[in-house]
Amino acid sequence: MERLSWTGALGPWLVPALEAALVALALAALAHPLALLAGYRLGPGPEAARSGPGRAARLTGGLLRLSLWALAAALAAFLIGGLLVPPEAKGILGRIATRLWPVWLSLGASFALVALFRRRLGLLGHLLGNPAGAVGLALVMFWVFAALFADQIAPFDPITDVIAGMKNKPPGTPLPAPEGTYGYYLLGGDALARDVFSRAVAGARVVLAIAPAATLFAFMVGITLGLPAGYLGGRLDLLLSFLANLVLAFPVILLFFLLVTPEIVAMGVPTYMAGALFLFPLIFLTILWNSRFRTRPPLRAALIGATLVLGGWLYAGLAWNADPFGVVSMPAGVLIVFVSVVFVNAPSVFRIVRGLTLDIRTRDYVAAAQTRGEGPWYIMLWEILPNARGPLLVDFCLRIGYTTILLGTLGFFGLGLAPESPDWGTSINAGRGLLQFVPFPPLVPAVAIMSLVLGMNLLADGLREESLRE
Amino acid sequence: MTAPLLEIDRLSIAFATRRGDIPAVADFSLSVAAGEAVGLVGESGCGKSTVALGIMRDLGRAGRISGGTIRFRGRDLATLSGSELRRIRGNDIAMVYQEPMASLNPALRIGRQLMEVPRLHRGASRAEARELAREMVADVGLPDPDRILDAYPHQLSGGQQQRIVIAMALMSRPALLILDEPTTALDVTVEAAIVDLVKGLGRKYGTALLFISHNLGLVLEVCDRICVMYSGEAVEQGPVRHVFDRMRHPYTQALFRSIPLPGADKTTRPLETIPGSFLMPQDRPRGCNFGPRCTHFEPGLCDTAEIAMRPVPGASDHEARCLRFEKIDWQSRPPVPKAAAPGEVGAPVLTVSGLRKYYEVSSGGLFGHRRRKLVRANETLSFEARQSETLAIVGESGCGKSTLAKVLLGLETATAGQVLLDDREVQETPIQKRGPRAVADLQMVFQNPFDTLNPSKRVGGQILRALEVFGVGATRRARRERMFELLDLVRLPRDFADRMPHQLSGGQKQRVGIARAFAGGARIVVADEPVSALDVSVQAAVADLLMDIQRTRRTTLIFISHDLSIVRYLADRVMVMYLGHAVEIGSTAQVFAPPYHPYTEALLSAVPVPDTRVEKTRIVLEGDVPSAIDPPPGCPFQTRCHWKDRVPNGRCARELPPMVELGSGHRILCHLSAEALGEMEPVFRVAAE
């Protein structure tokens, strides 16, 4: 079998179209500012200023828009065309698009659902009307679905499928002897002869399992400490702010190196830290129910009981690896990464929550809650926190992106996760040695990180704009 | 007469939104002659600020002028280029906004900000510009110009800041000064001084004024002509006195009848509220915009075609947008609805004696020894509030009235003195220890309607929570039923329970706040400026609602306000506060008639009264309220008092005056002798007709 080309049978038509669109875009992008400038310079008197950009500028502006659309159409044609042509005519892109069919299906279905119930979905519905938000949401959802369906999408096992003769092969290389398996390494093979494409997809699962959960834990810690610091103030605020600053001032990478040092691990420091940090979600939920339902004791008892039993079980398993049923546990490497990420992020969240609380606690509805004799925790969690949700939601998205990069950095330094882990940072680290000769093994996970973080940032932008508009 | 300075002709302004264009202003015509002061009044949302922004061509990205012209000195502003527009803005037309702190750059000294104007517009040298700035600062009545020029904005008080903003606007000697609610954020006595200043400077420099306000009294004091706006249109305009005496548009009349003028009384002559509510621009009806709320509405006439302004006979330039004004009997009043008899004032439920509240603020560095300073927020307050009575607490910002409310409610504990709730001492019991019954008995209504409800919870849920906390109702269903009854009580539809606060108007939110306060059957309600942030027509409705609830439930209402008109309308007794002291206390009739405390006298004279028949003695106080950290020695009011020289030996500056009993519960804190007090004349005189 021959090596696959990138575009397959579509190449002869689509590649020139793409090139034409690119050239047109470049020309228009150059000409448009010039035309704008010329329009300003030549316009005599007020009439020209009022009529807006000159005719030349309008022309180049139109061309710019047109060429952008053409480019987008050409790219879409690669994907859709690749999906539709018969298997033997598919190139690498077409085959990747085909492998990703569960993602397209779920993306289409979820966007259709959101669009259908737009009016009732509030912020999420508005997000579709915002270009940045919609693109961000699509990128993020793409990776979420890719992680969910990784087993269906990846043609090979990311760790165990080592196929002789596929070491450092370029994209589209056929397998020497495909026996009932997929015939190609779509994005080439890495230094250990594993499929780069499968590893990138499987890496999404690792990253998306750790990053949002770790960010959520960091938020729990930051909120549980930031609310009282802002609301009660005084010495408590002084102490907590000082501690937060202390953590923030410590070099992050050094902290990670310390945490994974065998001696420190042997001393059990990460476990103790996990023991402390993982307590916060429990505390948070318990206070949440207690303050809200103090007037309805049976409901309160039920909720707190459920939280403590379920949470305690998870807590024992995750933090101390002491689940009596042996179901819940966290690998030691993941635990270290998790703890480090929570530990580093919590102080920033703390400061944001504290600042928001300082602002919101002066509102009349907080005073109204005080005059009806509500306790401080009810006011913090049920009056203040819901009204801080806008900025916190935006920060949550940004922070997931940041955490993703942090995970990449950790992986790149070989900290935490096992060396064979398919996560993106570790893959980049493994591939960087031969970057000049075999670019794809590190390049693919790098693009993956970039697109996910970009998606998160766009989503955050969209959320911010839309929540301001409310 | 020469051509007017500013001529707006059939102006329309529209804002582009997701749901299409929304017309904010339609068919608006107005002209301002050189040196003339024109008032633009209307309720919030009527488009008066949009007109001002349209003149400045500052409508943002969404707004655009969709029709008509604005001519300034004969030139159409819409045709000007960016640079020509910049020359006119700030140079020929200047604008003063409501919030002074937002108009000043907090990072630059006052001097630099003022000097910028002549340096930019006239290319003046630094020394020249500074000299001009100094003159201007002196002109706006600020003492010690050099110190002011070197100060940063935050070092000045609100009144001083607004004077600086006015000075900045006048630096370039503009031909037209637009003032958008310039005094709304200020205290009444400061407002009076600013209004005097604007009037005087307008005359001195020959500046034309476009004065935008919702306060009819202010407009009467400042302006020559008035234009009343409703729902994006001018509904009536003409010479101020002519319009005030012979209004010919039903909306203007309804507006006047909803504000408490002297003579209004909560039982015999209650305020009239305008039925219905303000319509959003996209819901405007055909024909007369005010039609759906108008008592003189005639189907087939008022709702067929757009109505144009029609001249009103009697004055050359008085016109109204009403087809029926000749047929309306302008003197008749609708019959007074039979109000429930005022509740019998009962036994004292709240007794405060010798109450003091001091705060400690520490200043000084990290290592230097800290200097502790005392803020004397409340000084020896003694009063009582009886069942079914309205006690008004009046004073300007910083007088300690909000601190008093906090102490009463238990959010703060008293430093000294005694607060008796019925016959239990509560001055040292914080709210958490008061027990649900005591907490439910004493509740509060807040000032800012946009802040009083939690924006992320449904209206019904917020009332339900109060019911839960107060232990009302045994089951969820019982509480829900009770919540609906409370919505009925404040006259809101029951389906409002499922609405979010942002779907409610300001007045409706305030009603929900009242419902929440009465959730536990409160017997004493502290209302902290409950209507001052609302539009006048809504104010009347909310005030009447409070009165109605009081009558049926025999509630004690402690009504904190700075607005003396509304206080006179609904209070039974009044306590006037200044710098933490109660300077005068007595029944409403006693406080509003001589002998006054000198501060009460000044406060009364500062209140603008929108009635041409009322003659007022002008007493303008100098300077600002002193700080409570560093109060003046002796009498708290001695630094601004007009009567000070009537007290021998400068006792005012040395000794705190005693509380003098003037008979039947009327007490004042003053050194003035009985004969000096006897010489005081009433501030208001109603001219005989």
Side-chain angles (χ1 to χ4, degrees), chain A residues 45-46 49-50 126 291-296 362-365 367-368 370-374 376 378 382-383 386-387 389 466 469, chain B residues 18 78-81 84 409 411 431-432 439 443-444 446-448 451-457 465-466 468-470 476 479 516:
Chain A
R50 210 156 63 87
H126 286 306
S291 59
R292 175 69 179 82
F293 297 110
R294 75 178 159 88
T295 49
R296 287 191 244 162
T362 58
R363 303 294 167 90
D364 277 351
Y365 52 82
Q370 287 170 339
T371 55
R372 41 168 210 265
E374 301 279 10
Y378 177 86
W382 292 96
E383 300 282 347
N387 294 303
R389 69 179 188 278
E466 289 306 313
R469 233 178 252 199
Chain B
R18 284 187 178 171
T79 61
L80 297 184
S81 72
E84 282 174 297
L409 285 158
L411 298 179
I431 193 154
Q432 286 89 351
V439 170
Q443 277 293 298
M444 181 147 176
F446 293 88
Q447 172 177 13
N448 187 345
D451 228 23
T452 184
L453 299 183
N454 186 333
S456 42
K457 283 193 200 166
R465 177 69 192 180
E468 261 176 43
V469 170
F470 296 149
R476 273 174 73 77
R479 282 195 291 268
R516 188 179 55 188

Side-chain angles (χ1 to χ4, degrees), chain B residues 436-614:
Chain B
R437 193 61 250 153
V439 170
D441 271 350
L442 185 56
Q443 277 293 298
M444 181 147 176
V445 176
F446 293 88
Q447 172 177 13
N448 187 345
F450 299 96
D451 228 23
T452 184
L453 299 183
N454 186 333
S456 42
K457 283 193 200 166
R458 287 181 197 284
V459 167
Q462 305 201 31
I463 300 177
L464 277 176
R465 177 69 192 180
L467 291 171
E468 261 176 43
V469 170
F470 296 149
V472 179
T475 60
R476 273 174 73 77
R477 181 168 301 169
R479 282 195 291 268
R480 215 171 154 71
E481 195 45 47
R482 185 85 196 95
M483 183 262 291
F484 285 135
E485 287 168 23
L486 283 165
L487 285 179
D488 296 344
L489 177 75
V490 295
R491 295 173 209 146
L492 286 177
R494 287 190 169 197
D495 58 342
F496 269 40
D498 292 326
R499 298 228 183 152
M500 296 300 278
H502 70 90
Q503 294 169 299
L504 271 57
S505 72
Q508 289 166 342
K509 283 183 205 177
Q510 208 59 329
R511 284 164 192 265
V512 176
I514 293 171
R516 188 179 55 188
F518 281 96
R523 295 192 299 130
I524 307 171
V525 169
V526 179
D528 186 359
E529 310 251 10
V531 298
S532 64
L534 302 173
D535 274 319
V536 277
S537 66
V538 185
Q539 270 187 13
V542 173
D544 279 344
L545 171 70
L546 273 173
M547 290 296 109
D548 271 359
I549 297 178
Q550 180 182 41
R551 279 185 204 115
T552 50
R553 304 197 155 203
R554 298 177 54 77
T555 317
T556 306
L557 198 61
I558 298 182
F559 190 88
I560 299 177
S561 181
H562 69 278
D563 181 354
L564 286 165
S565 322
I566 194 104
V567 164
R568 168 165 40 197
Y569 171 66
L570 51 73
D572 299 313
R573 284 195 308 132
V574 179
M575 177 164 95
V576 182
M577 285 184 72
Y578 186 80
L579 262 190
H581 292 266
V583 293
E584 179 163 4
I585 185 164
S587 72
T588 309
Q590 286 166 342
V591 171
F592 279 81
Y596 308 106
H597 185 278
Y599 175 63
T600 314
E601 186 188 26
L603 207 56
L604 280 173
S605 104
V607 180
V609 181
D611 190 332
T612 50
R613 291 166 305 156
V614 171

Side-chain angles (χ1 to χ4, degrees), chain B residues 1 4 7 25 29 105 189 231 287 326 394-395 404 413 426 464 526 594 615 632 657 683:
Chain B
M1 204 171 97
E7 195 173 13
V25 173
S29 304
N105 184 338
T189 56
S231 190
E326 293 94 343
V394 177
L404 173 63
T413 52
V426 293
L464 277 176
V526 179
E615 297 264 328
V683 172

Side-chain angles (χ1 to χ4, degrees), chain B residues 633-636 638 649-658 671:
Chain B
C635 172
Q638 51 114 340
N649 313 332
R651 257 169 71 203
C652 294
R654 285 184 284 109
E655 294 168 34
L656 182 69
H671 282 305

Side-chain angles (χ1 to χ4, degrees), chain A residues 96-156:
Chain A
I96 290 180
T98 318
R99 293 297 310 182
L100 288 171
W101 71 267
V103 175
W104 306 132
L105 203 66
S106 355
L107 258 185
S110 50
F111 267 70
L113 272 178
V114 172
L116 210 61
F117 297 106
R118 239 180 123 148
R119 296 246 171 269
R120 273 195 269 159
L121 284 173
L123 194 57
L124 187 63
H126 286 306
L127 213 54
L128 280 200
N130 181 304
V135 171
L137 190 66
L139 277 173
V140 171
M141 292 313 284
F142 172 87
W143 282 115
V144 168
F145 288 128
L148 268 178
F149 300 113
D151 292 338
Q152 282 75 47
I153 296 166
F156 299 97

